Amino acid sequence: MYDKLWLIPFFPLIGSIINGLLGKRFIKSEKAIGAIGTGAVFLSFLVTCRYFFQLLGDTEKVHQQVVASWMSVGKLQVDWGFLFDPLSALMLMVVCGVGSLIHLYSIGYMHGEEGFYRYFSYLNLFIFSMIMLVLGNNALVMFIGWEGVGLCSYLLIGYYFEKQSAGDAAKKAFVMNRVGDFGFLLGLFTIFWTLGSHGIWTVNFVDFSEHGHLLGVGSTVVTVATLCFFLGATGKSAQLPLYTWLPDAMEGPTPVSALIHAATMVTAGVYMIGRMNVLFAMSPTTMGVVAAVGAATAIFAASIGFAQNDIKRVLAYSTVSQLGFMFVAMGVGAFTAGIFHLMTHAFFKACLFLGSGSVIHAMHHALHHAHLDDDPQDMRNMGGLRKHMPVTWATFGISCLAIAGLPFFAGFFSKDEILWWAFASTRGSLVVWGIAAFAAGMTAFYMFRCLYMTFYGKQKTDPKAKDHVHESPWVITLPLVVLAGLATVGGFVGVPHAIDVVHIGNKLDAFLAPVFHHTQELYQIEAHGAASTEIMLMVFSVVVALIGIGIATTMYLKNPELPAKFTSTFSRLHRVVFNKWYVDEIYDAMFVNTTKQFGNFCWKFFDVKIVDGIVNGVGKVVNVLSAGLRHTQTGLFQNYALAMVLGTVVMVAIYILN
């Protein structure tokens, strides 16, 4: 019935191989390369749609397919298998659906790039790796995909490898993710060994759910293991303290930013916790840590977004902040709400990133024609672009309304579901709710600051370039329109019961129930409270968002001189926030520079003094010995004859004396 699941990862893999091996020498045509790359992901999306709708009408919601036996080591038997259930089905719809739109967009955005074939090969490989991460039925198959997206992020962030900053950003992402991966493996080893002591030698997710109770609710083992898994999630999903690689990932092409930040890699940590929800639910301590780190990340990253002028960096810190909301949901037991926000975030954040790319594309074109070297990503060089780019402006504005959480856009439903659970859940906290609610208001402020600085007010583009700013081609604007539509209506699949006056029902909650509800019932995780309380909290969050929007409107639309006055009055605070709280500098001082110094010490002490010393010492000894011995090799016959006579005399003398 689900015997063709292997086709979902197969198409992107084949697309990557074809473009990677044949694109440069044999295909060459950008249209053909783009069609192969985009078509491969779209075919995966079509197969996913078929099985997704088939699953909707299926009474059995969990399906496993073993493709091949992978490894057998001692008592460990691992199959290369797939798990198709409501959670993986929804994730595949997001990954393949949004991914195919980003591929289509890339055809126009990357036009003229020398490495066009290489870009699409990497992009297809990225989608393949994410599909394997989502579809794997055990932790080792997931880890293969987990490492695959890490590799592809390195390749794509460093796509412009001739730039020093791009190479550094790629290495930073790769190294920081390896720190998280170490935690993932430690958690997996702990679970495997502990379950093995009970005779359950497995890394299968279904087995984790069925036998996880053997670890002991609240036990040290389950707490340590889940904290290790969470360390992996903080690296992959850019949470404190391993978040600094994500803003630097802006060095890659803008569609890469949309793919990494919206639908794929950074959501992997959230998905992993959702997949292992039984293990996390068994440890209230770990869930408390997850919620606390998520809330801290949400407000910390939002504060940095206040002062950034690079349009992509604003969106990057926004991504870090929104991921914090998802972890808050996971930490308070609102697993469905976390996945819901993951989905809606994919819609509006992909639209925002692609919208920023459309702006950058237009600015770069205009500045190039005017022979100017101004930064096409600096919002201080923009302003008034809505007249020249109406489609980009409209879709960007819709996505800003969605991320701000205004009724009844997609972000409103998912964000308020998280806030409600943070407030009313048995695993919730008023402190976490308060921080998250405040961060939501901050989000509304900096996103509308971004909108106003880019599209409103006086056009600050150099006069030479103004006439060259125009709307992007349809291959760029079409994905924007589709994503903006999803950001508008996508939230109606999860209408809360408290405001469901037309009885739509929370379709998403019902769909994901087979994955999460048993865990919530078993460990008594639920949100208590009257419908009136939930509505009051919704109203409060909307008011907070409107206050944020109102402040942004006052400062950047009505009185555009206010930001300069504010920054001059609070220059020290602005400098600290503008420099991202100096976290990168602190990390450099504590870890990077000390590691370099330790490496230099090891090189000078061990390599130069010990290794080179031994080698050079042997050479010197040989040289000294050879200096004396070389006099015995004169090449003169009479010298050799004399030596033979003297030797004979010595031997005879020794014989006589004895």
Side-chain angles (χ1 to χ4, degrees):
M1 192 173 183
Y2 296 88
D3 56 336
K4 294 294 191 296
L5 285 173
W6 59 270
L7 286 173
I8 301 175
F10 174 78
F11 289 123
L13 179 61
I14 290 299
S16 176
I17 293 172
I18 292 174
N19 279 332
L21 296 181
L22 307 178
K24 184 176 183 179
R25 293 190 176 184
F26 299 101
I27 302 177
K28 295 184 180 180
S29 167
E30 285 190 358
K31 291 182 178 180
I33 292 171
I36 292 170
T38 304
V41 181
F42 187 68
L43 286 173
S44 292
F45 177 66
L46 292 179
V47 176
T48 300
C49 287
R50 174 196 169 186
Y51 286 128
F52 178 84
F53 290 109
Q54 186 172 308
L55 189 67
L56 289 176
D58 198 344
T59 55
E60 176 61 42
K61 298 295 184 182
V62 179
H63 301 272
Q64 292 197 74
Q65 178 190 353
V66 176
V67 178
S69 178
W70 183 12
M71 67 174 74
S72 180
V73 181
K75 297 179 181 179
L76 174 63
Q77 174 67 44
V78 181
D79 295 322
W80 193 277
F82 298 141
L83 174 61
F84 193 76
D85 66 354
L87 179 58
S88 59
L90 182 65
M91 284 293 298
L92 287 172
M93 289 289 285
V94 172
V95 170
C96 297
V98 176
S100 61
L101 291 173
I102 293 172
H103 275 70
L104 177 63
Y105 176 100
S106 296
I107 296 174
Y109 189 86
M110 299 298 290
H111 171 65
E113 289 285 347
E114 184 178 353
F116 195 84
Y117 75 97
R118 174 168 56 92
Y119 170 84
F120 273 92
S121 179
Y122 292 166
L123 216 61
N124 273 183
L125 188 61
F126 196 113
I127 294 293
F128 164 76
S129 299
M130 190 65 192
I131 291 172
M132 292 309 306
L133 188 155
V134 169
L135 206 50
N137 73 335
N138 63 73
L140 285 183
V141 175
M142 171 186 272
F143 190 70
I144 294 297
W146 189 275
E147 290 298 285
V149 294
L151 169 63
C152 294
S153 68
Y154 170 79
L155 296 173
L156 287 167
I157 294 169
Y159 175 78
Y160 298 113
F161 56 85
E162 69 279 0
K163 291 173 56 180
Q164 178 70 29
S165 57
D168 291 343
K171 287 184 287 187
K172 187 175 184 178
F174 191 82
V175 171
M176 295 199 77
N177 272 275
R178 298 295 74 73
V179 176
D181 295 347
F182 180 68
F184 185 104
L185 288 175
L186 283 180
L188 180 57
F189 294 156
T190 303
I191 295 296
F192 173 73
W193 188 258
T194 307
L195 287 179
S197 66
H198 293 278
I200 311 295
W201 300 95
T202 183
V203 291
N204 189 283
F205 292 128
V206 174
D207 293 333
F208 283 176
S209 298
E210 292 180 357
H211 304 291
H213 65 277
L214 297 174
L215 300 172
V217 178
S219 67
T220 302
V221 170
V222 76
T223 298
V224 169
T226 49
L227 284 175
C228 287
F229 280 126
F230 179 57
L231 176 61
T234 60
K236 197 65 70 180
S237 295
Q239 296 295 282
L240 289 171
L242 301 178
Y243 73 94
T244 56
W245 69 268
L246 192 61
D248 287 4
M250 297 299 97
E251 291 293 336
T254 301
V256 171
S257 303
L259 192 64
I260 292 177
H261 289 224
T264 55
M265 179 173 170
V266 295
T267 61
V270 180
Y271 170 77
M272 183 264 288
I273 294 178
R275 176 56 69 201
M276 300 186 184
N277 63 86
V278 173
L279 300 180
F280 279 83
M282 290 173 59
S283 177
T285 300
T286 298
M287 291 187 70
V289 171
V290 172
V293 171
T297 303
I299 196 168
F300 181 78
S303 70
I304 299 176
F306 279 12
Q308 300 304 304
N309 295 314
D310 186 309
I311 187 171
K312 287 176 65 177
R313 284 193 174 270
V314 174
L315 299 178
Y317 283 105
S318 171
T319 297
V320 177
S321 181
Q322 293 303 305
L323 287 165
F325 277 91
M326 298 176 207
F327 279 101
V328 167
M330 293 299 178
V332 300
F335 302 115
T336 298
I339 299 300
F340 188 17
H341 198 59
L342 184 156
M343 181 189 77
T344 60
H345 177 262
F347 300 154
F348 55 68
K349 184 54 62 67
C351 187
L352 288 167
F353 265 113
L354 297 184
S356 73
S358 178
V359 170
I360 294 168
H361 181 269
M363 289 292 297
H364 179 79
H365 173 81
L367 294 171
H368 175 74
H369 275 272
H371 305 289
L372 298 170
D373 295 324
D374 294 345
D375 187 354
Q377 297 182 192
D378 194 328
M379 296 184 294
R380 292 170 295 185
N381 296 329
M382 301 176 189
L385 296 184
R386 75 182 192 277
K387 300 175 184 177
H388 305 281
M389 309 182 71
V391 177
T392 302
W393 160 69
T395 53
F396 198 94
I398 288 171
S399 297
C400 285
L401 293 171
I403 195 174
L406 292 188
F408 289 92
F409 294 90
F412 165 77
F413 295 103
S414 58
K415 181 202 68 178
D416 279 293
E417 187 75 5
I418 294 172
L419 292 176
W420 164 243
W421 273 80
F423 180 87
S425 171
T426 51
R427 299 279 178 96
S429 164
L430 285 177
V431 174
V432 171
W433 169 81
I435 294 174
F438 190 70
M442 296 169 70
T443 300
F445 169 79
Y446 69 71
M447 285 309 308
F448 273 81
R449 169 184 177 267
C450 180
L451 178 70
Y452 292 146
M453 288 183 69
T454 304
F455 294 100
Y456 288 82
K458 183 180 178 181
Q459 189 170 350
K460 297 179 283 293
T461 310
D462 191 286
K464 298 178 183 178
K466 283 184 178 181
D467 295 336
H468 297 288
V469 179
H470 57 77
E471 185 61 271
S472 300
W474 72 267
V475 73
I476 289 179
T477 57
L478 178 60
L480 294 179
V481 172
V482 175
L483 289 167
L486 292 171
T488 303
V489 302
F492 283 95
V493 298
V495 178
H497 176 73
I499 59 172
D500 189 12
V501 294
V502 293
H503 305 293
I504 296 175
N506 194 326
K507 305 294 185 183
L508 187 65
D509 186 61
F511 180 65
L512 293 175
V515 183
F516 299 131
H517 279 200
H518 175 70
T519 301
Q520 292 171 325
E521 292 172 1
L522 183 63
Y523 298 104
Q524 299 179 341
I525 303 173
E526 55 184 337
H528 294 289
S532 57
T533 304
E534 186 174 356
I535 293 173
M536 288 177 61
L537 291 176
M538 288 183 187
V539 173
F540 177 79
S541 67
V542 171
V543 170
V544 169
L546 290 174
I547 291 173
I549 295 172
I551 295 173
T553 303
T554 301
M555 294 183 68
Y556 291 94
L557 198 60
K558 294 183 178 179
N559 299 293
E561 72 281 353
L562 281 180
K565 293 181 179 178
F566 181 87
T567 54
S568 62
T569 304
F570 301 96
S571 58
R572 291 185 179 180
L573 176 61
H574 177 264
R575 190 182 309 113
V576 171
V577 177
F578 178 77
N579 287 289
K580 302 160 287 187
W581 300 96
Y582 294 103
V583 174
D584 283 303
E585 288 77 6
I586 294 171
Y587 283 2
D588 284 344
M590 292 179 63
F591 303 110
V592 178
N593 293 336
T594 54
T595 302
K596 289 180 179 178
Q597 291 168 1
F598 180 70
N600 287 331
F601 167 77
C602 291
W603 172 69
K604 290 180 180 179
F605 183 74
F606 291 103
D607 190 42
V608 175
K609 292 186 177 181
I610 296 179
V611 178
D612 287 355
I614 292 173
V615 174
N616 294 335
V618 171
K620 288 179 180 178
V621 171
V622 172
N623 189 49
V624 170
L625 293 175
S626 65
L629 292 174
R630 74 167 58 100
H631 296 295
T632 65
Q633 300 293 323
T634 62
L636 299 175
F637 176 77
Q638 58 268 33
N639 290 345
Y640 299 151
L642 176 63
M644 292 173 64
V645 171
L646 291 175
T648 302
V649 171
V650 171
M651 292 175 64
V652 170
I654 292 173
Y655 176 77
I656 294 172
L657 291 174
N658 288 336

